[in-house]
Amino acid sequence: THIFIKNLMNMNKVLIMLVIVLFIVFLILKLTGVIGWSWWWVISPLWLPLACVLGVFMLIGLMIGIVSLIELL
């Protein structure tokens, strides 16, 4: 169990580093004019993971609500 938690923590560190590196790459490309993306897309590595997690929770809530409605009928 301890090894699993340690591996999970290492995986989280890798994902955080990936997000930071991707953001820095997008930022440099935007500031140097290589890409003409909107700033929303440049900072997307920072907010997109959170948006995905929130979307999953919303879908789960929606499914629970639908199941509850079906059980009432």
Side-chain angles (χ1 to χ4, degrees):
T1 304
H2 180 68
I3 295 171
F4 174 74
I5 293 172
K6 190 173 181 179
N7 287 339
L8 192 60
M9 289 174 59
N10 286 338
M11 188 169 46
N12 284 342
K13 288 179 184 177
V14 169
L15 290 175
I16 290 170
M17 288 301 296
L18 178 65
V19 165
I20 292 170
V21 167
L22 199 56
F23 168 68
I24 291 172
V25 168
F26 287 174
L27 181 64
I28 291 170
L29 291 174
K30 173 74 173 178
L31 292 175
T32 57
V34 175
I35 57 175
W37 299 349
S38 162
W39 280 103
W40 286 106
W41 291 116
V42 173
I43 63 170
S44 67
L46 303 177
W47 59 263
L48 203 54
L50 177 62
C52 290
V53 169
L54 290 176
V56 167
F57 281 128
M58 288 173 53
L59 283 174
I60 291 171
L62 182 64
M63 288 190 286
I64 290 172
I66 291 172
V67 168
S68 297
L69 276 174
I70 290 174
E71 289 177 352
L72 287 175
L73 297 175

